Amino acid sequence: MTESTFKIKAGIVGGAGYTGGEMLRILINHPDVEIVFVHSKSNAGNHVYDVHTDLFGDTDLKFAAELAFNIDVLFLCVGHGDARKFLEANEIPDHIKVIDLSQDFRLSQNSKFNNKNFIYGLPELNREAIKAADNIANPGCFATCLQLGLLPMAANELLTNEVHITATTGSTGAGQSLSPTSHFTWRNDNLSVYKVFNHQHLNEIGQSLKQLQGSFNKAINFVPYRGGFTRGIIASMYTESELSEADALKLYHDYYAGHPFTHVTSKDIDLKQIVNTNKCFLQVKKYDNKIFIISIMDNLLKGASGQAVQNMNLMFGLDERAGLRLKATGF
């Protein structure tokens, strides 16, 4: 499929939020996509650049109050619980592929809705299933970052001890709606812990690890932090293991060979390397009897809209990297 022979027609629901804005930024520049509509009742009739002001000069698209079904794929960039409500209120024709960025269909017990079966959309875990899927449940941001740090161990049945994780996310991970912990005056120059040991993404992570290592039954001790920065996730995790550092690096390199966005190194890594990209960087080290992994990625791209476009590319037989060769901030 090339630009001259085929254009995927896309619709976006929830285009005024953070993930909707990132979806617009990617798809406007995607060589194989035409955006048919961006749905937002509260902004209907306004240009998308009235909300996403950086898109001024890039597009003349306007928000629409009505849905259009002359599309090939529908992105649901809505809040948790709202995707299910949307599908209950709107019957989407079977020929339209649906990619949902909420948590509504990620767990296997919630993956079926009427005649739709949602595949968990982590390409590094389910690439072949994604290629054949009609509906995708896009993973959560923390879930993506942490799973990418642990999948190679589970795939080789090497998660035999508890896993300990500390991870910090930027303020955009909380979404656009204001709350006491998302105001600038509270978040700036601040750091706080939340949802210790019971973050909702642990369910996704456990499900995926057991998919690869059915015997896995150890605790995942996860301490999430709210960071005083805008975007990105940095996670450090460790577990006891007899693997040497060289063997661990080989295991990780082998697992991610052929996956274009996940890269493994023994060198130090930092958020500015991956912010504004669809990449995940993994640093793998050995300290005494512990394998230590650092995983970094952009929560709005690899953790949300970028991964959703990656899934779309796979579903439509495109180059997995199409529209996602993005520039990091660097400094």
Side-chain angles (χ1 to χ4, degrees), residues 83-273:
R84 183 174 290 274
K85 291 176 184 176
F86 176 85
L87 292 179
E88 287 171 348
N90 299 276
E91 187 172 346
I92 307 302
D94 290 341
H95 75 273
I96 297 175
K97 298 181 187 295
V98 176
I99 301 177
D100 173 36
L101 278 72
S102 81
Q103 67 181 12
D104 293 6
F105 306 107
R106 292 173 186 164
L107 300 181
S108 57
Q109 63 264 32
N110 301 325
S111 62
K112 292 181 173 56
F113 179 84
N114 292 340
N115 62 334
K116 297 187 183 299
N117 183 37
F118 284 82
I119 299 298
Y120 188 66
L122 186 64
E124 292 82 357
L125 176 68
N126 289 328
R127 176 188 266 167
E128 295 308 311
I130 292 166
K131 288 180 180 179
D134 290 321
N135 306 286
I136 292 292
N138 216 57
C141 53
F142 264 140
T144 298
C145 190
L146 304 189
Q147 286 176 87
L148 292 177
L150 296 171
L151 291 182
M153 297 285 286
N156 290 274
E157 300 192 342
L158 293 172
L159 286 178
T160 55
N161 294 286
E162 290 189 359
V163 180
H164 301 271
I165 303 171
T166 300
T168 305
T169 187
S171 59
T172 52
Q176 201 171 42
S177 298
L178 283 176
S179 67
T181 58
S182 63
H183 283 279
F184 176 83
T185 49
W186 187 90
R187 193 95 181 205
N188 187 52
D189 294 330
N190 203 2
L191 192 65
S192 66
V193 171
Y194 72 112
K195 296 182 181 177
V196 177
F197 301 143
N198 67 357
H199 194 280
Q200 66 271 17
H201 288 185
L202 281 170
N203 294 323
E204 294 174 55
I205 297 165
Q207 175 178 272
S208 296
L209 295 180
K210 288 185 73 67
Q211 179 180 327
L212 293 177
Q213 182 178 334
S215 62
F216 179 70
N217 60 0
K218 301 298 183 181
I220 303 173
N221 303 297
F222 176 32
V223 181
Y225 282 77
R226 303 180 184 95
F229 52 92
T230 302
R231 57 197 293 168
I233 295 175
I234 181 166
S236 61
M237 56 199 91
Y238 67 89
T239 187
E240 292 184 5
S241 174
E242 296 179 359
L243 277 177
S244 68
E245 183 172 306
D247 287 342
L249 276 166
K250 183 179 186 306
L251 183 147
Y252 274 73
H253 279 295
D254 288 349
Y255 185 90
Y256 289 115
H259 290 287
F261 293 112
T262 302
H263 304 278
V264 180
T265 182
S266 60
K267 297 180 179 180
D268 291 340
I269 54 178
D270 62 82
L271 285 181
K272 284 193 174 182
Q273 293 174 291

Side-chain angles (χ1 to χ4, degrees), residues 32-46:
D32 303 297
V33 174
E34 173 191 347
I35 302 174
V36 173
F37 72 88
V38 185
H39 181 264
S40 174
K41 288 184 178 179
S42 60
N43 288 284
N46 296 330

